[in-house]
Structure formats: structure tokens, C-alpha cells
Amino acid sequence: MRPAINPFGPLKPLDEALAELLAQARPLPGTDRIATMDADGRVLAQDCISALQVPPQDNSSMDGYALRCADVAAARLAQPTELPVELPISQRIAAGSAGEPLQPGSAARIFTGAPVPAGADAVLIQEDCEALAGAGLGRVRIHAMPRPGQWIRSAGEDIRRASVVLAAGTRLSPAGLGLAASIGLHQLEVARRPRVALFSTGDELVMPGAVPPAQMRPGAIYNSNRFFLRAMLLRLGCTVSDLGIVPDRRDATMQALQDASAAHDLILSSGGVSVGEEDHIKPAVEALGRLDLWQIAMKPGKPFAYGQVGPAHFMGLPGNPVSSFLTFALLVRPFVLRLQGALAVAPKALPATAHFAWPRADKRREFLRVRHNPAGGLELFGNQSSGVLTSATWGDGVVDNPAGQTIAPGDSVAFIAFSELLS
């Protein structure tokens, strides 16, 4: 008897699969010009170049007194004891106002963010000083010796004029929005949103709300994948067309694909990427375009499909919820970010300590659901099955465990937080 032919081919390493996908993910044409206030999560389409320096001039980083160090030193020499010494207060400078040049032998009351007056070379914090009543603005008694440059933020120390503050391909964060605003940018040029058509396949799927749990027919399951996939796409800045559940029929599958290809950049399906008699994705996509079926050397998650239907990219995810969740996070997410021109698309792994044993090495690269415990290590969810979605809500992230690798308590492991995979 001849051995059965594997229609997927040999196991493909995850990194190799991702590299092949990213090679197909050319940035989409077109950009949007939007308000900086609304640009969180979007990808910059052009460099942000500063037309000014930040801070624009030397300013105080603390509330206190601006003075000349030499004046304090001279006052110390003119009295029997070194400290404290007193100086008259010649002016008061608040943030948003400009002071006069500092009169020799005097101090200026100054507040955080206020410009340092010409002639001053240090700021003493108010905790090291004592305000005294007297003529004019009074005097200040100094209890500490200032050092040149102390508590002064130098002009341009944060941003230099004509420097690139945020580069094209940067995915904007709340801090990035603040940085753009700090150089006066009220609008930003960003990549346009990818248009994604999302559908599920499987006659066993039922939408929550359509049938009460007590009335579910044998073999039926609620469609959970559609909920988390849509949410993950929206977090990536996509516009999503939810095409619902496509019946397990060749004609229905082809019609859904053909309709979606005309107005979308990516078609994403969940389930139906196997090669069984009721799995119609493969022949439908092949009839309308092209398709590659891969077995990814990752666990959970193995079947994955990539192809094209007309001008649209197509990706098919496995049906098991954790497999679908992780293949999206590790393959689809980088692809969607690259469509927007993002440069950094890989999740960051950090070293962590395992407080569990994993004695069974697998030939595939494993992504084990874990969470931090009060002792500072990682504990393992008891059931690592690809169908147990509770593991993804219980955990803080996954351990990226290489193929053939066992884990003993105390071992250092590579931890990827869900916050890295879901943002």
C-alpha cells in the first residue's frame, strides 16, 4: 500500500512562514491625513520633522530660585560662616512668562517650566531655601551650595530643530501623539486602514443569541472565533466587513470570496482550511485565484492557508479557537501591520523564570499559556489543548518554547505577553 500523500506538504517553520507572508505584504497605496488627537494606533506614512527645539529655551525643572553660583560663593566669603547666605529676590518668573536678565547678586523666584533668566546658571529647589520677608519681593536664605546647571533643562535637550522625531513606519502610541503635539503637529499623514472581510465556515456554527443553550442541536457550537478575530482586527486599525457564517457549500463559499475580493485588501476566514469533503475553501480559492496550504510547525495551530482572490489577499485560519487566536497573533497581525507600512511587526519576548515542569518535548515550536504568580515566576495553565479558550483569558501570555525543548522549574524561558500580541 502506498503511503497517503500529505496535501499540506512538510511542516514549515513559523519564522519561514512569516518571512514568506511579509514578502507579499506590500504597503497599501493611499494615505489619510487625520487629526493628531485621533491617530492612536495608526502607522505614520511620513517622517515627523521638528521645526523647533524642545525645550525652546533653558527652563527650570523644579520650583525654586534661579541664581549665579558665583554670587553664592562670593556671599559665603563675605561672612564669617559659610552657610546660610542670603540674596535679595529681584523678580518672579512663572511658566509661560519671560523674565529679565538676572541682576548681579540677586536671585529670581522661579517655577517649573519657566525660562531661566539670562545670567543665571543654576536653580536651587525651594526645599533648600527659605523665603524671608523684606523690601520689594523679599530675600531668600540659601541652605545648600548650588552647582552649575543644577535643575536646568537645557534648550533642545529633548528635541533638536530639523531632527526626525517620529519616523515613517512608526505605529503611533499615546506617547507618540504627545511627542508629535510637542513639535506643533496638529495633523499627521498616516497609512490608510486595511479593509478586511471576515467570515467563518462550518454548518456546526451558531451565533450567540440565535439559539438558547438549552435548544442547541447535537454537534452545534457557538461561533467564538468571529468575536475575537474582529476585535483583534479593529485593534490593528482595520475596517472590518463581517460576512457572517458561510454555509459548507462550494457555491456559497465561492460567492462569498468573489463578493469580498472586489472591495477588500484581505479576506480572512476561520475554519475550512483542511482537505476534508466538507472543506470548500481550498477548491474555491484555487478556482478564483491561487492558494498555498501550509502545515506550520507550531503548537497549537498548524493548518494555515495563504493565497489571493483577485486583488485581495486571502488567509485561512484553523477552526480550533486557541489555534485561530495564536496563528492570527503570530502570522496575520504582522502581515496586517506591514500592509500599513509598519516597520516593527514582531512581538517582543522577555526572559522569565518557569515555575512549572514541561517534560514532554514536541517536534513543533510550542506556545504555552502561562501567567505570572506572586513569587515572580510563570505558572502553567493545566490544559494546553487548542480548543480550551479559557487558557487565553486566564493567562498573561505565552512561553515561546523551541521545538524539542523540555522545561524544568527554574529554567529561563522566553515570555511573550498577550499585550504584545493584542495591540
Side-chain angles (χ1 to χ4, degrees):
M1 180 181 294
R2 294 167 122 189
I5 297 174
N6 184 350
F8 290 87
L11 289 176
K12 181 184 287 288
L14 177 61
D15 290 341
E16 180 182 319
L18 179 57
E20 290 187 28
L21 287 176
L22 293 181
Q24 302 296 320
R26 296 175 182 85
L28 299 172
T31 61
D32 296 327
R33 189 159 189 82
I34 62 174
T36 301
M37 192 73 79
D38 299 327
D40 184 38
R42 303 294 292 271
V43 178
L44 277 173
Q46 64 181 31
D47 293 343
C48 292
I49 299 173
S50 180
L52 48 76
Q53 58 184 9
V54 179
Q57 63 275 315
D58 294 353
N59 69 78
S60 178
S61 63
M62 301 290 283
D63 292 346
Y65 295 86
L67 41 73
R68 291 182 178 86
C69 295
D71 289 343
V72 178
R76 289 175 60 190
L77 294 175
Q79 62 183 30
T81 58
E82 290 190 349
L83 288 174
V85 300
E86 295 179 12
L87 294 174
I89 300 173
S90 59
Q91 59 182 310
R92 184 178 184 276
I93 311 172
S97 63
E100 300 294 330
L102 187 66
Q103 298 174 15
S106 73
R109 179 69 166 121
I110 196 166
F111 298 89
T112 303
V116 175
D121 60 5
V123 171
L124 266 181
I125 59 174
Q126 58 191 18
E127 290 83 356
D128 290 333
C129 302
E130 181 183 352
L132 304 173
L137 296 175
R139 301 175 67 80
V140 59
R141 181 174 291 159
I142 296 167
H143 294 281
M145 188 64 194
R147 300 185 308 277
Q150 180 175 297
W151 301 118
I152 292 177
R153 290 187 290 226
S154 300
E157 75 174 26
D158 186 12
I159 299 171
R160 295 288 184 185
R161 185 179 286 106
S163 64
V164 175
V165 174
L166 293 164
T170 299
R171 191 166 179 224
L172 290 161
S173 65
L177 301 187
L179 188 56
S182 75
I183 60 172
L185 298 178
H186 72 290
Q187 290 186 321
L188 297 171
E189 197 79 18
V190 297
R192 75 165 172 85
R193 295 181 183 276
R195 300 164 302 183
V196 182
L198 174 66
F199 68 86
S200 305
T201 64
D203 288 342
E204 75 279 11
L205 296 177
V206 176
M207 284 299 291
V211 179
Q215 297 176 21
M216 289 280 279
R217 69 181 186 277
I221 58 173
Y222 287 120
N223 186 348
S224 60
N225 294 13
R226 208 160 117 207
F227 287 81
F228 65 70
L229 292 175
R230 180 178 181 274
M232 293 166 88
L233 287 166
L234 291 175
R235 288 190 178 195
L236 292 171
C238 302
T239 59
V240 181
S241 301
D242 191 340
L243 305 185
I245 301 170
V246 175
D248 276 335
R249 300 196 319 270
R250 179 79 55 86
D251 62 334
T253 303
M254 289 188 66
Q255 189 64 56
L257 290 168
Q258 201 159 22
D259 292 346
S261 67
H264 297 88
D265 305 300
L266 171 64
I267 304 169
L268 183 66
S269 77
S270 172
V273 294
S274 185
V275 289
E277 293 180 5
E278 299 302 318
D279 295 317
H280 301 297
I281 290 290
K282 180 178 185 292
V285 175
E286 288 178 333
L288 298 170
R290 66 177 184 86
L291 184 72
D292 290 321
L293 288 177
W294 296 339
Q295 284 199 100
I296 310 296
M298 62 178 287
K299 184 180 180 182
K302 185 169 67 171
F304 182 85
Y306 171 76
Q308 284 197 285
V309 179
H313 300 279
F314 171 82
M315 289 185 174
L317 303 177
N320 279 327
V322 182
S323 297
S324 187
F325 177 82
L326 283 172
T327 49
F328 181 99
L330 297 168
L331 291 171
V332 181
R333 178 183 179 274
F335 185 88
V336 168
L337 289 175
R338 188 56 56 83
L339 287 180
Q340 299 174 75
L343 300 177
V345 299
K348 297 181 179 66
L350 296 174
T353 301
H355 283 185
F356 64 88
W358 190 252
R360 305 179 301 276
D362 196 274
K363 65 180 180 180
R364 289 181 282 168
R365 184 173 169 182
E366 299 174 287
F367 293 90
L368 308 172
R369 278 79 74 202
V370 295
R371 72 178 178 191
H372 289 93
N373 60 26
L378 297 176
E379 58 184 274
L380 187 72
F381 190 77
N383 187 342
Q384 293 289 316
S385 168
S386 62
V388 181
L389 196 54
T390 48
S391 64
T393 59
W394 172 91
D396 299 324
V398 294
V399 166
D400 182 356
N401 191 44
Q405 181 73 50
T406 61
I407 301 172
D411 285 351
S412 179
V413 294
F415 172 75
I416 305 174
F418 280 142
S419 59
E420 281 285 312
L421 299 174
L422 300 177
S423 61

